[in-house]
Amino acid sequence: MSTSDRQALTTTSYAILGLLTLRPWTTYELAQQMDRSLRNFWPRAQSRIYEEPKRLATLGYASASSERVGRRPRTVYRITAKGRRALKTWLRAPGAGPIVEFESLLKLFYAEHATIDDVHVQLDAIRAWADRRAEENIAFARLYRESGGPFPDRLGPIVLAGKFMTDFTDMVHAWVAWAEDAVRDWDDTGHRPHAAQVLEDVAARQPPTTTRETASNEHT
Amino acid sequence: MSTSDRQALTTTSYAILGLLTLRPWTTYELAQQMDRSLRNFWPRAQSRIYEEPKRLATLGYASASSERVGRRPRTVYRITAKGRRALKTWLRAPGAGPIVEFESLLKLFYAEHATIDDVHVQLDAIRAWADRRAEENIAFARLYRESGGPFPDRLGPIVLAGKFMTDFTDMVHAWVAWAEDAVRDWDDTGHRPHAAQVLEDVAARQPPTTTRETASNEHT
DNA sequence: TTCTTCATGTAATTAGTTACATGATTGA
DNA sequence: TCAATCATGTAACTAATTACATGAAGAA
């Protein structure tokens, strides 16, 4: 039981297995590709990308062939039939929803202990992040529009993920603009017009009508 | 050097240190509060919340006082002056930008190997996720509008983070609606009108004018 | 020839998770 | 009085990270 647990693939395993369906890769190429395509919704360190395919190979989901560059060894990985089957099975089960980690926002969450300058440092950093990402998104879109990209027949799934990323970038950008306005009314009066407005707006919304047993939240 | 490294606080340490500025908490309360307030932008397992304050205490950033409930011991943590200073210092440095992990999207990214049903399983799961979150957001806003919440003077920072979360939820919701349309044109023709449209739109954008040394990306 | 960057990997360490264990409290 | 839930914690494990090491290739 604990032995079979140890053999269970992680999401990262499947992430790499998925890349291996496209073509064989050297570990370095995998790391590069991971960085290009999955970084934004499944970020992992380079060393992880070097380790995972080994495991895939020992478990039979991939095959490893050793090559040689001068005196240096290198490994090329290919997916096996077993690997393809495993991937297909994994694709059928619903995956986890989005998880966000956001250190700058955490700092803003404790802004009462910071100076107003500190707050602007965070907001500026976030804006810079959004700008950088926006640039990447545009460069990416132009590349694909002009050349079709390295895997033109994958356009559908690629843009599915790509639009998620641009939507997220846009959202962060808009949020930071709002936040800059909002912190402008942070004075000693305790009045927080922007915050109050948000509360009103969100509180006035109709909860989505989920179909689980006539959601009885109307005790109003 | 490696000894002093071991003493470095992590972001999670500061997350808890921040809560400790609000009032003293038992570990269980801390875990609860973490789950209520920080889960959405700094999610950590409950056991982590039980361990971290110990470290804060041994390093002098917090003090621990042992109480007793029947025969059971429990610990209440309080921030120290040193802890407050450390938090303030941490707040000054720019934090990391948002990191997203999204397993369902990863599965969609490999949708070529899935059936159309599999794809809809993912999209449905994502929509359900967004609906659940929307509900939480609304409940949260209503609570704060009506009662002011447990820390009414923190309204500013709280809504800063809260609006980020609702904006994100809204974005996911809108994206999934678009995605459902987009996968509708996934047939064998290879035509992907929705995807193509996104590429056009994003490619046509003007990159944000970052002020680092006259960004020379106009070789057009 | 030397410096830098690209390429390929391993080792050490840790932050974090899952799983377990059990006492206290509530209420049926 | 029994079961379920709340409360409090520890132990075992691992996925992941940072840091290091070094050969190959290209440029100056």
Side-chain angles (χ1 to χ4, degrees):
Chain A
M1 185 163 282
S2 69
T3 8
S4 79
D5 277 357
R6 193 148 320 150
Q7 308 212 344
L9 299 184
T10 66
T11 301
T12 303
S13 317
Y14 289 109
I16 289 179
L17 214 43
L19 289 183
L20 291 179
T21 63
L22 306 181
R23 67 173 181 83
W25 310 79
T26 69
T27 334
Y28 181 75
E29 288 170 331
L30 272 179
Q32 291 247 311
Q33 186 59 18
M34 203 72 178
D35 193 50
R36 253 180 256 120
S37 56
L38 303 186
R39 183 175 26 135
N40 296 313
F41 51 97
W42 202 257
R44 287 303 176 264
Q46 179 248 42
S47 67
R48 192 94 285 275
I49 318 289
Y50 269 79
E51 293 297 328
E52 273 301 329
K54 285 194 211 169
R55 248 182 91 233
L56 291 176
T58 58
L59 297 174
Y61 299 104
S63 70
S65 60
S66 296
E67 297 189 349
R68 201 148 278 283
V69 183
R71 282 185 298 147
R72 292 192 83 162
R74 77 169 171 190
T75 317
V76 176
Y77 291 94
R78 294 180 158 71
I79 194 167
T80 62
K82 182 181 174 187
R84 287 184 192 276
R85 281 196 304 274
L87 185 73
K88 279 201 201 328
T89 303
W90 176 73
L91 287 174
R92 294 165 48 81
I99 291 171
V100 177
E101 288 188 5
F102 196 172
E103 193 189 34
S104 279
L105 187 59
L106 182 61
K107 294 194 180 196
L108 290 171
F109 188 67
Y110 293 130
E112 338 133 59
H113 304 291
T115 68
I116 192 68
D117 280 352
D118 296 346
V119 168
H120 281 292
V121 164
Q122 302 306 326
L123 292 176
D124 289 350
I126 296 170
R127 180 187 290 284
W129 179 93
D131 284 350
R132 232 175 308 121
R133 283 288 279 263
E135 258 184 80
E136 291 173 17
N137 294 151
I138 292 170
F140 176 91
R142 290 181 179 173
L143 175 70
Y144 270 72
R145 190 192 45 177
E146 274 139 38
S147 81
F151 301 102
D153 46 337
R154 277 177 42 72
L155 187 69
I158 286 171
V159 171
L160 221 51
K163 180 164 162 60
F164 185 89
M165 279 147 33
T166 58
D167 284 357
F168 182 63
T169 306
D170 292 348
M171 178 241 121
V172 172
H173 192 267
W175 174 85
V176 92
W178 172 87
E180 272 158 359
D181 281 350
V183 302
R184 216 163 283 137
D185 47 58
W186 286 9
D187 54 28
D188 295 336
T189 70
H191 276 210
R192 299 284 179 271
H194 282 80
Q197 185 61 51
V198 168
L199 283 188
E200 289 303 326
D201 291 350
V202 177
R205 292 183 182 187
Q206 199 59 23
T209 54
T210 34
T211 338
R212 38 166 175 178
E213 72 225 344
T214 57
S216 60
N217 41 6
E218 54 263 348
H219 77 109
T220 328
Chain B
M1 185 162 282
S2 69
T3 7
S4 78
D5 277 356
R6 193 149 320 152
Q7 308 214 342
L9 299 183
T10 66
T11 301
T12 303
S13 317
Y14 289 109
I16 289 179
L17 214 42
L19 288 183
L20 291 179
T21 63
L22 305 180
R23 66 172 182 83
W25 309 79
T26 69
T27 334
Y28 181 76
E29 289 170 331
L30 271 179
Q32 292 247 310
Q33 186 59 18
M34 203 72 178
D35 193 50
R36 254 181 257 120
S37 56
L38 302 186
R39 181 172 31 132
N40 296 314
F41 52 97
W42 201 257
R44 287 302 176 265
Q46 179 248 43
S47 67
R48 192 95 285 276
I49 318 289
Y50 269 80
E51 292 297 328
E52 273 300 330
K54 285 194 212 168
R55 249 182 90 233
L56 291 175
T58 57
L59 297 175
Y61 299 104
S63 71
S65 60
S66 297
E67 296 189 350
R68 201 147 280 282
V69 183
R71 283 184 298 147
R72 291 193 82 161
R74 76 167 171 192
T75 317
V76 176
Y77 292 93
R78 294 181 158 70
I79 194 168
T80 62
K82 183 181 175 187
R84 287 184 192 276
R85 282 196 303 273
L87 185 71
K88 280 202 199 326
T89 303
W90 176 73
L91 288 174
R92 295 167 47 82
I99 292 171
V100 177
E101 288 188 5
F102 196 172
E103 193 191 33
S104 279
L105 187 59
L106 182 60
K107 294 193 180 195
L108 290 171
F109 188 67
Y110 293 130
E112 338 133 59
H113 304 291
T115 68
I116 192 69
D117 279 353
D118 296 347
V119 168
H120 281 292
V121 164
Q122 302 307 326
L123 291 176
D124 289 349
I126 296 169
R127 180 186 290 284
W129 178 94
D131 284 350
R132 232 175 308 123
R133 283 288 279 262
E135 259 184 79
E136 291 174 17
N137 294 151
I138 292 170
F140 177 92
R142 290 181 179 173
L143 174 70
Y144 269 73
R145 190 192 44 176
E146 275 138 38
S147 81
F151 301 103
D153 46 336
R154 276 176 43 71
L155 187 69
I158 286 172
V159 171
L160 220 52
K163 180 165 161 60
F164 185 89
M165 280 146 33
T166 59
D167 285 357
F168 181 63
T169 306
D170 293 347
M171 178 243 122
V172 172
H173 192 267
W175 174 85
V176 91
W178 171 87
E180 273 158 359
D181 282 350
V183 302
R184 217 162 282 138
D185 46 59
W186 285 8
D187 55 27
D188 295 337
T189 70
H191 276 210
R192 300 284 179 269
H194 281 81
Q197 185 60 50
V198 168
L199 283 189
E200 288 304 327
D201 290 351
V202 176
R205 292 182 182 187
Q206 200 59 23
T209 53
T210 35
T211 339
R212 38 167 174 175
E213 72 223 343
T214 56
S216 59
N217 41 5
E218 54 264 348
H219 77 109
T220 328

